[in-house]
Amino acid sequence: MNIYRKDFPLFKAIDEKKAGDNNGLIYFDSAATSQRPYQVLEAMEKFYREENANPLRGLYKLSERATQAYEDARKTAADFLNAGDPSQIIFTRNATESLNLIAYSYGLNYLKEGDQVLVSIMEHHSNIVPWQQVCKKTGAQLVFLDCDKNGLISDQELDSKLSDKVKIFSITQVSNVLGVTNPVKEYARKAHAVGAIFIVDGAQSVPHHKVDVRDIDADFFALSGHKLCGPMGIGVLYGKKELLEKMPPFLTGGEMIEYVTKENATWAEVPHKFEAGTVSAADAVGLSAAMKYLQTVGFDFIEKQEKMLTQRLMQGMKKIPHVNFLGSDDPDKRSGIVTFTIDGVHPHDIATLLSDENIAIRAGHHCAQPLGKFMGVISSARASLYFYNTEEEVDLFLEKLSHIREWSGYKD
């Protein structure tokens, strides 16, 4: 029995057979978005019931409490990432917005023709498309690191492409398709040695592993709240203070200013310079509660539970004919992400057939089309596990998966 399932309204209702349309649901799509515990929902409800006012603007006590709740959330995020200074934490809508902020505020202003931006072939579109646009505008070149079939980037590949022309090196810590964990601390060291700034997309790593941005020595680090038991619509950008201070604002308008005349404006200090308009205070409070909740669960337990479940899942899948993995077949290198195909069955059909059995997985290109093309796979199915999943769910998934080809009309 997983003792943490009772913390999640959806799973508690499922386990007590009170979930209505969700009765019996097996949720294997946490890499897309995780479920939220009571602690997060209650923190957000409390804010709206007791502290609902516009933060940072009012001089009355209710607004001051809202401001305090919002800034406390910033400190929680800084502690969660070991950022040190809370002013290095910027709240955004998600990791995608965080990466766009870097691309447009830093990239557009400091890249020039002849410079290079280095990314990997396994990046999510949110760490490719912004750099494509910035490179088109600045004349810089976007360069891709290739990986092997297991998702590993060789030292030779990195050394051949990381030169003093590279001004920005941006890479995912954990691939949302292959589950592989990149050695970002080593990459940061090599990037800094050639004078490049180093950016980490931590959307898939932060929910599963303890992250220390100062130990990594990341210049920027992006994450999304909805993947780590927090609300949708809130993310974090960590940036080193000296870089943030020299970057112009990404959005302009209310709250991010110091002084405005008819002709000009000056900007507020970091981080408020990058948080234009009314902020998502309740979402920040919810994200803070999610981070505290995960710390209470403990990343040692999270990693142990995910490893056990992933081993059980992949060992079972290896026994089913015609199932093929994308990436390593070593479950210890997957961070709970198992992407696969079944011979002769379109991934969308796999997901639909499993949905008919009340099992939720993801199918498609997973916002990583260049990786799919590189690996010769247009589409794939993905089962992603989290610490709240159970062995019983894995076993039922395997039993249903073994019938997919039969249900698709095959006799073998």
Side-chain angles (χ1 to χ4, degrees):
M1 182 65 181
N2 189 322
I3 63 171
Y4 293 105
R5 284 175 70 83
K6 69 181 184 335
D7 293 339
F8 294 81
L10 178 67
F11 300 132
K12 186 174 187 291
I14 289 170
D15 293 345
E16 294 176 354
K17 297 181 171 52
K18 298 177 181 178
D21 291 342
N22 291 322
N23 272 341
L25 174 67
I26 295 175
Y27 187 75
F28 279 4
D29 195 25
S30 291
T33 199
S34 59
Q35 296 300 320
R36 285 136 194 93
Y38 285 105
Q39 290 87 335
V40 170
L41 302 177
E42 290 168 357
M44 295 175 69
E45 183 182 5
K46 179 180 182 294
F47 177 86
Y48 278 127
R49 279 193 324 213
E50 301 177 13
E51 298 164 339
N52 184 40
N54 210 316
L56 310 171
R57 297 184 183 185
L59 298 177
Y60 50 92
K61 290 181 180 180
L62 183 62
S63 178
E64 290 172 355
R65 292 203 303 272
T67 300
Q68 189 63 53
Y70 184 65
E71 293 303 331
D72 285 349
R74 194 188 309 278
K75 185 178 186 306
T76 297
D79 292 342
F80 187 78
L81 296 173
N82 193 30
D85 183 354
S87 70
Q88 296 178 119
I89 298 294
I90 298 161
F91 286 121
T92 61
R93 287 189 306 124
N94 42 46
T96 298
E97 185 174 288
S98 296
L99 292 164
N100 271 270
L101 193 161
I102 308 166
Y104 285 89
S105 185
Y106 185 89
L108 273 183
N109 289 281
Y110 293 100
L111 288 173
K112 63 183 185 305
E113 188 171 354
D115 290 341
Q116 293 181 343
V117 176
L118 185 63
V119 298
S120 81
I121 196 66
M122 69 185 80
E123 299 308 309
H124 189 281
H125 292 163
S126 60
N127 202 26
I128 294 176
V129 179
W131 301 117
Q132 287 177 338
Q133 301 308 304
V134 167
C135 285
K136 287 177 182 178
K137 288 177 168 60
T138 61
Q141 179 187 11
L142 186 59
V143 178
F144 285 85
L145 292 166
D146 292 336
C147 62
D148 64 18
K149 65 178 183 178
N150 294 319
L152 300 178
I153 299 169
S154 69
D155 291 340
Q156 293 81 1
E157 173 71 4
L158 180 62
D159 292 342
S160 70
K161 293 179 177 177
L162 183 58
S163 70
D164 57 8
K165 291 183 179 180
V166 174
K167 304 305 177 186
I168 295 173
F169 181 6
S170 188
I171 194 166
T172 183
Q173 188 170 12
V174 170
S175 165
N176 73 308
V177 178
L178 306 176
V180 65
T181 300
N182 286 310
V184 291
K185 183 175 180 178
E186 175 65 11
Y187 288 175
R189 184 186 65 79
K190 290 190 173 184
H192 293 149
V194 297
I197 69 160
F198 185 65
I199 303 165
V200 181
D201 176 0
Q204 291 295 342
S205 60
V206 167
H208 307 281
H209 311 291
K210 174 61 181 170
V211 168
D212 185 329
V213 292
R214 285 192 286 180
D215 182 62
I216 294 170
D217 198 18
D219 296 300
F220 296 101
F221 190 98
L223 66 88
S224 286
H226 68 98
K227 296 182 190 296
L228 54 92
C229 298
M232 296 180 182
I234 190 76
V236 166
L237 172 63
Y238 159 81
K240 290 182 178 177
K241 192 74 169 285
E242 60 269 24
L243 293 174
L244 294 173
E245 286 179 339
K246 73 177 187 177
M247 291 161 52
F250 180 42
L251 299 173
T252 55
E255 196 52 53
M256 50 71 61
I257 54 85
E258 179 187 47
Y259 194 77
V260 178
T261 66
K262 289 193 294 183
E263 297 79 22
N264 210 342
T266 56
W267 314 133
E269 294 181 352
V270 172
H272 303 294
K273 176 172 69 171
F274 296 106
E275 295 178 353
T278 297
V279 296
S280 298
D283 291 330
V285 167
L287 177 59
S288 173
M291 290 174 167
K292 290 177 180 178
Y293 175 78
L294 291 182
Q295 288 172 323
T296 298
V297 174
F299 283 100
D300 288 344
F301 173 81
I302 291 171
E303 291 183 8
K304 181 180 178 181
Q305 177 75 356
E306 289 177 355
K307 183 178 292 187
M308 179 272 292
L309 293 172
T310 307
Q311 288 173 344
R312 191 181 189 95
L313 178 63
M314 294 185 71
Q315 287 167 2
M317 291 174 72
K318 289 175 183 179
K319 297 176 183 177
I320 302 174
H322 302 287
V323 172
N324 314 289
F325 296 116
L326 263 69
S328 173
D329 61 2
D330 182 351
D332 293 348
K333 297 179 180 178
R334 303 293 311 211
S335 291
I337 294 172
V338 181
T339 308
F340 64 97
T341 60
I342 297 178
D343 295 336
V345 187
H346 195 282
H348 289 178
D349 293 331
I350 297 172
T352 300
L353 289 166
L354 288 175
S355 179
D356 291 342
E357 300 298 318
N358 226 1
I359 299 172
I361 67 165
R362 182 56 57 97
H365 53 64
H366 313 296
C367 295
Q369 286 178 297
L371 176 63
K373 183 176 181 181
F374 177 75
M375 293 198 150
V377 177
I378 296 174
S379 181
S380 58
R382 183 185 70 188
S384 52
L385 311 174
Y386 207 13
F387 68 93
Y388 43 53
N389 290 124
T390 67
E391 295 169 82
E392 292 78 13
E393 289 179 316
V394 169
D395 292 344
L396 184 55
F397 171 85
L398 291 169
E399 195 275 323
K400 300 300 183 182
L401 191 71
S402 69
H403 295 292
I404 292 293
R405 275 180 57 90
E406 174 191 344
W407 295 336
S408 300
Y410 291 96
K411 301 302 181 184
D412 57 342

